[in-house]
Every structure is written in C-alpha cells, then in structure tokens.
Amino acid sequence: MEGETCDVLIVGGGPGGSSCARGLRDSGLDVLIMDKATFPRDKVCAGWITPPVVDLLDLDLADYAQEHALQPITRFRTGIIGGSAIETEYGKTVSYGIRRCEFDDYLLKRCGARIQLGTPLKTMERNEGGWLINGSLQTKLVVGAGGHFCPVARGLNQEHQSEKSVVLAQETEFELTPEQQSVCHVQPDTPELYFCRDLKGYGWCFYKDGYLNVGMGREGEKQLSAVRDEFTDYLDQEGRVPKEILGKFKGHAYRLYGLQKRTISDEGVLLVGDAIGMASPQSGEGIRPAIETGFIAADVIRSCQQDYTKDRLAVYQEKLFQRFGEWTDHPEASLIPAAFRQFLGRQLMSTQWFTRKVLLDHWFLQQHLPPLVRN
C-alpha cells in the first residue's frame, strides 16, 4: 500500500460504510473502503430489514433471494420472559429476515468503491494533505464506519464515556438439522421477541432459510450471560427452542442514539452508523440508521467539493438532528422508576393494541418515520 492515495477513505465495510461509498458513485472521487475483517464475516444481529431499507438501497429482492436468505415477515410473537405471549398478524410482508454475513457482503461488493480487506487501521496522522494512514496511505477525508469499536470514533471521542447508552448483546446463528427442525417451533414468517420484565432488554428468535438466530440484548448489563440463560431456559420450558440445540453465543456491543452527546465530525473526518451510536433507543435496530447516515454523509461529502474543513462538515450533524432528533444527557428512561417500568411491562405487553401500535409499528418497524429524502 506504500505511496497509495485516495480522496475518501472509509474505515469499515458494513452497511454504513458501503452505503456511504454507494452514495459517492459517479462523484468523481476515488473512494477506498478499508476493513480489518475479510468478507463475508459474522455480525451479531437479529437480522431484518424493512421495506424502506429495500427502497433506499434499490434492492432487487428477486435477484437477492437467488443466492441469499430472504425471509418475508408477516407476523410477530411477543411477550415478557416468564410470561405468556401473543401473536400479531399483519396479513402482508412488513419486514424481511436476512443473514448479516450475506447481506453486508452483498452491499460491499456492489458499492462501487475500491476495497481493501484484512487491513486494520493502525495509525492516523494529520499532515498538509489531510491524513496519513498506517504510515503510507494518503487521503483527504476519513469516514469512520467501523462500528462500536471504530478506531476513528475513539480518536474523536477520547474522553471517558459512561455506559448508560451502551447495549451488550449475545447471539447464536446456526443451520438446523432435520432433527432440530422437528423440535424447534419458531416459524419462519414469525420472529419472536421476549422482553425482560424491567424493559431494559429483550431476547429474540428468528428462523430464516434453515438458519436459527437466537440472541439477547440488554442495556449496560455486565452479567449478560445470566440474563441470556434465563431467556434460553424460558424458550426451552415454553417448547419454542430446546436449549440443547443452541450453538455457541457470540458477543457484541452498540450504543443507543440520542442518549449521550458525541463528536461526529471534525477537520477532514466524520462518522457514520454504529461508530456514532445510531441504534434505535427502543428496539436497538441499527441497520436502517446506519444506511441512512451513510447516504447523508455521502451527500454532505459531495457538497464540500473536496474542501473538508470542520465548518463545512458541521452541516452533517445538523442533517442528522433533522432526521433523528437531537441528543440529550437526560434519557427519559432513567426518569422512570424501576417498579413502574415493571408494571408497564406486565400490563402493556399483554395488550394487542399496545403491542401492535407502539411496540411493533413504532419501535421495531418505525412506520412513523418517512422515507429519507436525499439531496
């Protein structure tokens, strides 16, 4: 890589990074994506996309489904861990189950940028031309798209960060044998979501194209394994998923949007997706906001006309606030007494109206959010 140059370096090849690159196609800019992993790679995620994501990415679903898992979702099964569950029927496709290892690889391959995999970002030094990366790559602009542990994001946010907005997650995804399929009662078109009694996290079960995905995410939970075990015991006792068929769980972390102020742009640098902390505060869903921030960033980069000053890039934060709302250091959830949260969980999660109108339509499907309008 010695002596190499590019106009825009995107560090991270996930949906945020690849969407930013796709948004810069035909811009005349030389765009390079660098990622420490080789694709396809595993990614801890329940794995679903909504129709607005399909439209924004201009996905040909028939073409995608030829070689990748694509499970139409028409209903949900929801409840409280340890309690009863209810099913909500939509009568139409409201989401699609995907496997992140396939989905991210597909988006990366078609993004239009040059790609350099298996290459971690080790050093990032300012110079007259912008940035010198790993001692040999010269670029004018760096886009941090490396997720929760993105090294570019760490450089912009070096001060100590509290854990109040961080969610820890564990997941296992594996292909079921015919024998395992016969004892697993999760239906392909019906993802199952089960919330902790204090509403500080939830577990999920998705079955798509022969693969079962089971996971648990929880806010700031240091002993997540104990909560996960309670969840898998519940699945076993309810006859949904026998505990003995579950594979090894893998861990991940992400930051919820809006609960803590972050620096997201500076001279010659900006962040997208989980590097900012864009996951929905209610559901933890991060694919759509990652993709949208990638496209918004691309539009801002185009408008800068290769003059990536701090002031010119500051419009990026304004656009994110317009789309997703401003940040606060006083998250509403912290003002709700724990006992009241438990009451809400026991009462509201058992009602069909709340489950459909609030939990599913608003929190998970985000049907209230209009399509992203790009410049």
Side-chain angles (χ1 to χ4, degrees):
M1 196 170 68
E2 185 174 354
E4 188 176 1
T5 65
C6 64
D7 295 319
V8 179
L9 173 68
I10 300 174
V11 181
S18 62
S19 295
C20 182
R22 186 171 177 83
L24 292 173
R25 290 185 312 164
D26 305 321
S27 65
L29 296 172
D30 179 20
V31 180
L32 173 66
I33 292 181
M34 172 191 294
D35 199 297
K36 66 180 180 180
T38 55
F39 283 59
R41 54 91 172 96
D42 290 331
K43 173 69 173 179
V44 175
C45 178
W48 81 34
I49 56 174
T50 54
V53 169
V54 173
D55 294 339
L56 184 59
L57 291 174
D58 194 25
L59 283 180
D60 183 333
L61 293 180
D63 176 70
Y64 183 85
Q66 287 185 10
E67 298 182 3
H68 309 92
L70 187 72
Q71 174 59 57
I73 296 170
T74 60
R75 67 176 65 85
F76 292 87
R77 180 182 173 92
T78 59
I80 296 289
I81 297 173
S84 59
I86 61 176
E87 290 197 3
T88 302
E89 171 67 59
Y90 279 88
K92 63 178 181 180
T93 299
V94 291
S95 279
Y96 300 91
I98 50 92
R99 299 187 66 217
R100 285 294 300 273
C101 58
E102 298 175 348
F103 183 71
D104 292 10
D105 185 52
Y106 178 86
L107 296 185
L108 182 62
K109 286 179 177 176
R110 66 162 207 168
C111 74
R114 293 191 289 131
I115 300 171
Q116 191 168 76
L117 302 178
T119 306
L121 176 69
K122 296 180 179 179
T123 61
M124 180 174 165
E125 307 167 68
R126 289 192 185 274
N127 60 19
E128 291 185 1
W131 294 99
L132 182 65
I133 306 299
N134 291 349
S136 57
L137 171 65
Q138 182 67 46
T139 186
K140 299 175 183 177
L141 176 68
V142 175
V143 176
H148 181 69
F149 299 104
C150 179
V152 183
R154 287 202 303 268
L156 282 183
N157 296 273
Q158 294 180 347
E159 70 277 11
H160 175 72
Q161 296 285 353
S162 77
E163 297 302 302
K164 67 183 179 183
S165 63
V166 173
V167 169
L168 302 181
Q170 291 186 6
E171 172 212 86
T172 180
E173 182 174 272
F174 57 98
E175 189 171 12
L176 294 180
T177 65
E179 293 77 14
Q180 291 171 335
Q181 290 180 25
S182 67
V183 295
C184 175
H185 293 100
V186 179
Q187 298 301 307
D189 62 351
T190 311
E192 303 191 7
L193 307 171
Y194 301 101
F195 286 76
C196 300
R197 285 181 290 273
D198 59 6
L199 302 187
K200 289 187 176 181
Y202 69 92
W204 65 82
C205 308
F206 282 8
Y207 180 44
K208 44 204 172 186
D209 197 29
Y211 286 83
L212 181 66
N213 183 303
V214 176
M216 163 64 71
R218 186 164 168 82
E219 300 173 31
E221 178 61 60
K222 298 300 184 182
Q223 300 298 326
L224 179 61
S225 295
V227 182
R228 179 206 68 199
D229 289 344
E230 179 186 358
F231 173 53
T232 55
D233 285 342
Y234 170 74
L235 295 178
D236 186 68
Q237 293 164 8
E238 292 294 306
R240 307 310 299 169
V241 181
K243 194 171 183 177
E244 63 269 16
I245 76 170
L246 294 176
K248 183 179 180 181
F249 282 80
K250 297 179 180 180
H252 183 54
Y254 55 88
R255 192 178 298 274
L256 301 176
Y257 179 76
L259 304 187
Q260 191 167 20
K261 294 179 180 178
R262 302 268 286 168
T263 299
I264 64 172
S265 67
D266 202 341
E267 195 83 12
V269 59
L270 56 77
L271 308 177
V272 301
D274 276 348
I276 300 173
M278 290 301 305
S280 164
Q282 293 85 17
S283 67
E285 199 280 320
I287 297 178
R288 181 177 180 180
I291 291 168
E292 291 191 351
T293 56
F295 280 120
I296 293 171
D299 290 343
V300 170
I301 292 168
R302 283 175 176 267
S303 70
C304 286
Q305 299 180 328
Q306 300 197 54
D307 182 18
Y308 306 120
T309 63
K310 180 178 180 178
D311 289 343
R312 297 201 71 169
L313 290 175
V315 70
Y316 176 58
Q317 179 168 298
E318 297 174 13
K319 290 182 177 295
L320 258 59
F321 284 174
Q322 292 170 6
R323 178 63 175 168
F324 302 101
E326 296 194 22
W327 297 319
T328 177
D329 281 329
H330 304 285
E332 181 182 0
S334 66
L335 303 178
I336 302 176
F340 186 54
R341 288 172 67 111
Q342 292 180 19
F343 172 79
L344 286 175
R346 288 193 301 269
Q347 300 299 317
L348 295 179
M349 293 294 182
S350 63
T351 67
Q352 191 73 57
W353 179 89
F354 181 86
T355 296
R356 176 157 185 159
K357 298 298 183 182
V358 180
L359 174 65
L360 295 175
D361 288 357
H362 196 83
W363 292 359
F364 279 85
L365 300 177
Q366 297 191 321
Q367 293 182 349
H368 64 288
L369 191 62
L372 176 68
V373 177
R374 297 185 57 204
N375 292 346

